[in-house]
Amino acid sequence: MVDYGTKSKRLGSDSKRPFDSCYLCLNTARVPMVCPSGHISCKECAIQSILEQKKTIERAKQDYAEFQAQQASEQAEQQKNRDEAEVQGYIEREVGLSKTTTNYFESSDIVTSKRPLMIEFNDSSKRRAVESKDKEAVVTKEKPKLPSFWIPSLAPTAKSTVSDPSKLSVQCQASSPAHSLKLKHLVEVQFRTSSKGEKLCPSCDKPLLNSTKVSVLAKCGHAVCQRCVNNFVLTTQAGACVVCQKKVSGKTDVILIESEGTGFTGAGGRMVATRYDSALQA
């Protein structure tokens, strides 16, 4: 077979993460914790992830506060420049240094046979008026249009923006899209383990695998296969755990563990991996 082009391969059980593995470190979960959506992780990994996300959110809030303060100072500076420009323009008009020609005898109330007096200023007064212009007017002056759009002087200025972090929250990254996560919502999972290290259902003693739907009772944390949950736990309104006899209110107290499944009969995920290589090689 030529070693180029597109290749597809079916993924088996060896390519899937075991249901009792941490989705953060990909190892068998130590002190396993499960979120309300059924994602298992180590207790240490879950706490570290939550703390790191909180630190990131705090840094984002500080950056946003600094950005707002900078925006406020820039707006105050621009307003100050505008006020100074208005004052300077008023002074220039009062002393007769305005660029426009002023006719003081334009009013119809004054009748005179003499030629109207026109106040004009010479080149030196023009120069003084231009030199006294505000800096903002010089900066905002329209740039000459050049035929080359790649000239740096014509490139648009990119304004730095910082998004509002008020809507950010700690999230569980195991699902797409991610969902919100809190430490108090995590439930410690208690598996029954055989002498060989296999996870067993405490009710029917059958091994728990990726192809088996495994549920965790939120009140006590015991892991039971979904079949035993339906047959023994949720049979009545006042259900109870098959191990510790703690009451189970209903399906809201049962968390189904998410697993990646095996083959095309699995519970989720893509079962075919595709690799794209360059079709032409030297």
Side-chain angles (χ1 to χ4, degrees):
M1 180 178 178
V2 183
D3 192 17
Y4 64 85
T6 303
K7 303 179 184 64
S8 299
K9 181 180 179 181
R10 176 174 172 174
L11 301 180
S13 59
D14 295 338
S15 302
K16 291 295 180 179
R17 178 174 58 86
F19 75 95
D20 59 342
S21 296
C22 172
Y23 72 89
L24 293 171
C25 65
L26 303 181
N27 296 322
T28 302
R30 295 173 295 178
V31 190
M33 308 290 289
V34 64
C35 70
S37 296
H39 304 118
I40 285 186
S41 62
C42 304
K43 185 176 183 179
E44 181 181 357
C45 296
I47 294 176
Q48 184 178 1
S49 176
I50 291 174
L51 293 178
E52 288 295 332
Q53 292 187 52
K54 286 185 177 181
K55 290 180 180 179
T56 303
I57 294 174
E58 288 298 327
R59 287 195 297 268
K61 289 181 179 180
Q62 293 178 2
D63 295 342
Y64 186 70
E66 294 177 358
F67 174 74
Q68 283 186 324
Q70 182 180 1
Q71 291 289 104
S73 63
E74 290 179 358
Q75 291 178 0
E77 185 67 22
Q78 292 176 2
Q79 183 64 32
K80 180 181 178 181
N81 294 337
R82 285 194 293 266
D83 295 342
E84 292 178 355
E86 291 180 1
V87 173
Q88 186 67 26
Y90 175 77
I91 295 174
E92 291 176 0
R93 289 192 300 270
E94 288 297 320
V95 300
L97 296 180
S98 178
K99 286 185 178 181
T100 58
T101 302
T102 307
N103 185 1
Y104 290 94
F105 299 95
E106 189 176 6
S107 176
S108 59
D109 297 336
I110 301 176
V111 180
T112 178
S113 59
K114 296 183 179 181
R115 185 177 179 180
L117 177 62
M118 306 295 292
I119 298 178
E120 298 181 356
F121 48 85
N122 52 18
D123 295 337
S124 61
S125 61
K126 289 183 180 180
R127 191 180 305 110
R128 289 195 301 269
V130 171
E131 290 176 354
S132 62
K133 281 296 183 180
D134 188 68
K135 294 181 180 180
E136 184 181 0
V138 177
V139 173
T140 58
K141 186 179 179 181
E142 185 179 359
K143 297 180 180 179
K145 296 182 180 180
L146 301 179
S148 301
F149 65 90
W150 57 85
I151 301 299
S153 60
L154 293 181
T157 56
K159 296 182 179 179
S160 60
T161 57
V162 179
S163 58
D164 187 2
S166 60
K167 296 183 180 180
L168 296 179
S169 61
V170 179
Q171 295 183 337
C172 176
Q173 305 295 334
S175 62
S176 180
H179 60 86
S180 59
L181 179 65
K182 293 184 179 180
L183 185 60
K184 64 181 180 180
H185 294 161
L186 296 177
V187 179
E188 184 176 348
V189 185
Q190 299 182 18
F191 289 107
R192 179 185 175 186
T193 308
S194 64
S195 58
K196 297 181 180 181
E198 296 179 345
K199 302 293 192 302
L200 301 177
C201 174
S203 178
C204 60
D205 288 338
K206 291 184 178 180
L208 302 177
L209 305 172
N210 277 27
S211 57
T212 306
K213 291 185 177 182
V214 184
S215 297
V216 177
L217 304 182
K219 294 293 183 64
C220 57
H222 289 105
V224 187
C225 68
Q226 186 64 30
R227 183 176 181 181
C228 292
V229 170
N230 295 332
N231 293 336
F232 305 111
V233 178
L234 299 179
T235 53
T236 59
Q237 294 182 355
C241 175
V242 296
V243 180
C244 60
Q245 301 302 317
K246 280 192 176 181
K247 293 183 179 181
V248 179
S249 302
K251 292 184 178 181
T252 56
D253 290 341
V254 178
I255 302 174
L256 180 63
I257 295 179
E258 293 288 338
S259 62
E260 295 186 350
T262 57
F264 285 91
T265 61
R270 291 190 60 185
M271 304 304 165
V272 176
T274 304
R275 178 182 176 183
Y276 301 96
D277 290 337
S278 56
L280 298 177
Q281 293 183 354

